[in-house]
Structure formats: C-alpha cells, structure tokens
Amino acid sequence: MSNFSPGFHGRTHRFEGRLPPGQYPTESFPVLSAGPTPHVPTEDWSFTVTAEQGRARRWDWEEMMSLPQEEVTVDIHCVTRWSKFDTVWRGVSVDTFLDGVETTADFAVAHGEGGYTTNLPLEDLRGGKAWLVHTYDGFPLSPEHGGPVRLLVPHLYFWKSAKWVTGLSLTLQDEPGFWEAAGYHNYGDPWREQRAWSD
Amino acid sequence: MSAWHSARLVGRREQSRTGRTLLFDVPGWPGHLAGQHVDVRLSADDGYRAVRSYSLAAPARGTGIELGVQTVPGGEVSPYLAHELPVGAEVEVRGPLGGWFVWRPGQEDPVLLVAGGCGIVPLMGMVRSHRLEGSRAPMRLVYSVRDPGQVWYREELTTGTGAAAASRILYTRQAPPGSSRPPGHIGAGDLLPPEGAGRLPVLCFVCGPTGFVEHAAGLLSAAGHAPDRIRTERFG
C-alpha cells in the first residue's frame, strides 16, 4: 500500500490499446474553445487553400458539398484528457482539396473563424488522415463543436482539428498557431503524450 | 512544467453539497497565475493511474495550493478526492498549466468575471489574487447558481472586501427569501461592467458548464464586447 492515493482502485475496464496514456473515456462531448462561439451561416462560409506562392483556390458551401463525401468513424483525443470512441463524421477528405494544388511546402496552418490558427506538417493532412467535416452523428455539426465546418485530424490532439475552419495556408516554414504559441506541444501526438512544449 | 510533484492533502472543506475545497502542500511548487489549473494523478496498487485537471482556487501560500473539486456522480476520480483521500496522504500534481485563461495582477483593464456553478473556482482565484496584490483594476464577479445551497465561498463573497465585495450572486431556480431578483437565467442586464470601468474596454472571463458559457459569452458578444476580449473555459 503506497502513500499515493491509498484506497484508489480506478475503473475495472481499462481500455488497453485504445486509450492513449493519461486519457479517460467520456460518453459526453465536451466543448473547449478559447472564446465565444461564432455563428457562421452556411451561405457565408467558404474555404480557401493558399499555396506558398500566394496562389489560392476557394470553395463555397455548395461547391464543397458537391465534392466526393466520405463517412468516417474515428476515436478522438482532447489534450484536456478526455477521449471519445467511435465518433461518426461526414465530410470531404483534405486530399480532395489539395488535389492539383502546386506546392513544395512541408507545413500548413489551418485558420478558423475569429482568428484561431493551428499548425501541422502537411503530410499529416494527406493520405486519408484528415477531413473537412460538416456532419456529426448524422446531424449538421453545431456551432459549439465547430460547425458549419471543422477540420478533423483524429490522429493528433483535438485542438489541431480547427473549428469553424475557413482556410489552409501551405507554408515553407513551420509557424506555431494559437495554442502552440501558448505552451502546447507543436505536434501533439496523443500516443506519445505530447501535451506541452516540454513533453 | 511537465514534472510531477508529490502533493500532500493538508485540509478539506465542504463548499456545497457536491463541492469541496482541497488544500495541498506541494514541496517545490513554482507558484502560478490566477486562472491556471493542475493535473492531478492518482495511482492504484496495481499500477493503474488516472489523471484529471482541477482549477487553482487561490494564489499559492508558499508551497500550499488550493483546488476546487466538484463531485461527478459515478466519476472515477472526483468522488475519491472529495470523500476518500485521507488527510496526510499524497497524490501527484503537474503544473501550473494554462496560459490563456489567466489574469495577471499587473493588468489594469477593467475585468468582468462570469461564473456558472463550479465555474467559480478559477475566477475565485482571480478575485483573491486581485485582493492580495492590491490591484487597482476595476473587477466585478457575477456568479450564477441554481439555489442558495450551491454557493461556493459564501462567507468570503458576502462579507469580503475588494473585488469580492463587488460580487453579485444570481439564482436560476430558487433565490433566498427577500431577493429582489426573481430566479432565472443570467441575462444581459446582469452583465454590467465593473464600477469605474467608464468607457474602457473590459476583459471578460467566463467559466462554467458548456450551455452556460455559450449563453453568457453570447450575451457579452451581443452587448458589444469584442470576441478577443471574452475568454472562456467550459466544463464537461
């Protein structure tokens, strides 16, 4: 019997292999945002990919909805330690938006309504690993969860899945985003528990 | 930042039916800013560990820190911390954490703190830091609870000085006898800037359950506060 939390037993079911270190499973869907929730009507929404030489391609809501749609079921992991299994989303693969974009960039910055930014290596957005999603669990994605459209990058901590996503800038240099500049890890792999700068 | 410290429980106080103040001594604690939180790690005898985040409710007293714990029914960690962890026993803590939802005593901007339920905990840290530092920034706390039995820090908020004296407690379901405001959800008229703010832009901190924060932050936006002056922290 140690003197650390004597008498603590924890859950009987431990989710081995599915729960990254330091996480716990939740049935609810907590919301984490740094500020008030923007309410963006779909008719005002657009998404712009800007390559490093400044060349831009833009999609409005209807153009995005006419692209090939995918349904994905993934586990998501928030740096505040909750994980949620088997979340079901519908949207467009980021590969589809990047198809035909000329770039030699290694990095990307995702932009969200209200000035939110988060940075990722471009390869983490390619190869069927990331989507722009507009539907959660069969319903339109609500504003507090990032609707009308958010980025979904489930293999990284969820702050990388920018809410209210409006654009993607492809960059030659890595440019830390909002939380990354505020002390959170630059890459954010849940399985290596990369929560803070020093992890 | 990522080191785990041993933290010894030195006191526990009841705040409400479901809320507890926990006082820990953390040798080597580096100090923290109002609004920050810590991760608390519990270990079972078989090596299993569980970690949750809890807000710091007061400025550090040397190596002493104060956390607020709201019991979640059926929760894995909060009922143990609130009821079972013996005084004198240890847990591990990591922190301080968080760099956005913080108030620094040097800031002179008027501050409006908006708490829903146990969202009071980090905001109480700001009220106490404001008093301890003798800050001249106008500060006001608006604190929304279901009923009188749910008020944390009651004595301090009703008889205190400084920013605590300027606090206002609102009741959504049941108000104490003699209240001039009928029970109801927080409204635009409840979210006035602190006395002395004049026309200066106010810095707002909103903390509580998701629905409360969405509602209150929406009211503040509608009242003309710029989105980048409204900092939020949502629970559950």
Side-chain angles (χ1 to χ4, degrees):
Chain A
M1 190 78 156
S2 77
N3 196 39
F4 276 112
S5 47
F8 174 70
H9 303 297
R11 289 184 202 283
T12 49
H13 184 59
R14 304 274 166 97
F15 306 98
E16 257 89 9
R18 196 158 185 197
L19 199 59
Q23 296 291 107
Y24 66 90
T26 182
E27 294 293 323
S28 68
F29 194 165
V31 173
L32 284 112
S33 307
T37 296
H39 293 258
V40 182
T42 52
E43 58 267 26
D44 295 348
W45 179 86
S46 69
F47 178 68
T48 306
V49 174
T50 310
E52 67 273 21
Q53 71 293 83
R55 207 168 300 147
R57 293 184 60 182
R58 180 178 171 279
W59 293 262
D60 64 17
W61 173 263
E62 293 198 354
E63 291 164 331
M64 184 267 298
M65 293 301 277
S66 67
L67 295 170
Q69 305 288 315
E70 298 181 11
E71 182 150 297
V72 289
T73 301
V74 293
D75 296 350
I76 55 176
H77 311 291
C78 179
V79 71
T80 63
R81 299 186 175 274
W82 58 264
S83 291
K84 193 166 172 60
F85 299 142
D86 296 321
T87 59
V88 183
W89 308 82
R90 191 170 169 76
V92 178
S93 171
V94 174
D95 291 312
T96 305
F97 294 101
L98 293 176
D99 192 27
V101 173
E102 259 182 75
T103 182
T104 58
D106 287 330
F107 302 99
V109 176
H111 299 264
E113 188 72 31
Y116 181 78
T117 55
T118 187
N119 57 308
L120 316 85
L122 188 52
E123 65 177 24
D124 285 78
L125 293 168
R126 292 190 187 276
K129 293 197 289 283
W131 296 264
L132 252 63
V133 291
H134 49 73
T135 299
Y136 171 72
D137 223 4
F139 291 93
L141 183 61
S142 62
E144 67 267 28
H145 288 302
V149 184
R150 82 178 294 163
L151 184 62
L152 175 68
V153 193
H155 70 283
L156 300 176
Y157 280 128
F158 213 46
W159 88 80
K160 297 285 183 179
S161 296
K163 292 176 174 178
W164 318 297
V165 69
T166 57
L168 203 59
S169 305
L170 312 184
T171 60
L172 300 176
Q173 307 292 329
D174 192 15
E175 300 171 11
F178 176 83
W179 290 118
E180 294 82 2
Y184 284 85
H185 196 277
N186 198 50
Y187 183 62
D189 178 355
W191 293 97
R192 287 185 281 168
E193 219 177 344
Q194 295 173 332
R195 300 176 191 275
W197 283 344
S198 48
D199 290 336
Chain B
M1 162 141 174
S2 54
W4 289 94
H5 302 262
S6 298
R8 189 169 49 90
L9 184 66
V10 293
R12 186 193 269 118
R13 276 205 301 271
E14 188 169 319
Q15 289 292 351
S16 71
R17 202 163 35 78
T18 49
R20 297 289 182 277
T21 285
L22 272 66
L23 301 164
F24 288 97
D25 183 56
V26 189
W29 182 252
H32 60 267
L33 294 165
Q36 289 190 295
H37 60 275
V38 296
D39 283 345
V40 175
R41 183 161 78 179
L42 306 184
S43 302
D45 285 347
D46 64 358
Y48 172 78
R49 287 167 161 173
V51 184
R52 297 291 187 279
S53 298
Y54 291 98
S55 288
L56 290 149
R61 288 193 187 89
T63 56
I65 62 169
E66 176 178 328
L67 305 183
V69 176
Q70 173 83 359
T71 312
V72 178
E76 184 184 27
V77 170
S78 58
Y80 174 85
L81 287 176
H83 306 297
E84 293 178 47
L85 176 69
V87 171
E90 292 178 341
V91 297
E92 290 170 289
V93 301
R94 182 177 104 128
L97 303 172
W100 170 249
F101 196 81
V102 297
W103 180 76
R104 292 173 170 82
Q107 289 176 284
E108 292 180 357
D109 301 340
V111 186
L112 177 60
L113 310 174
V114 185
C118 61
I120 184 66
V121 176
L123 302 184
M124 196 65 194
M126 296 180 191
V127 167
R128 288 164 163 175
S129 174
H130 183 274
R131 186 181 61 225
L132 186 77
E133 303 286 339
S135 166
R136 312 224 347 229
M139 181 182 276
R140 182 163 187 256
L141 167 68
V142 179
Y143 177 19
S144 169
V145 290
R146 288 167 58 104
D147 58 70
Q150 294 295 322
V151 180
W152 292 47
Y153 316 116
R154 173 188 298 282
E155 193 178 341
E156 205 172 330
L157 289 174
T158 48
T159 64
T161 55
S167 63
R168 189 144 178 260
I169 304 176
L170 314 175
Y171 301 90
T172 59
R173 302 279 174 86
Q174 185 204 338
S179 297
S180 55
R181 182 187 181 276
H185 283 296
I186 198 163
D190 297 313
L191 295 173
L192 303 173
E195 294 285 318
R199 301 180 62 84
L200 293 169
V202 174
L203 184 57
C204 306
F205 292 90
V206 187
C207 186
T210 298
F212 173 86
V213 172
E214 291 297 319
H215 175 65
L219 291 172
L220 290 167
S221 293
H225 294 275
D228 64 358
R229 305 281 295 175
I230 306 170
R231 299 191 178 196
T232 58
E233 194 165 82
R234 296 160 170 87
F235 291 163

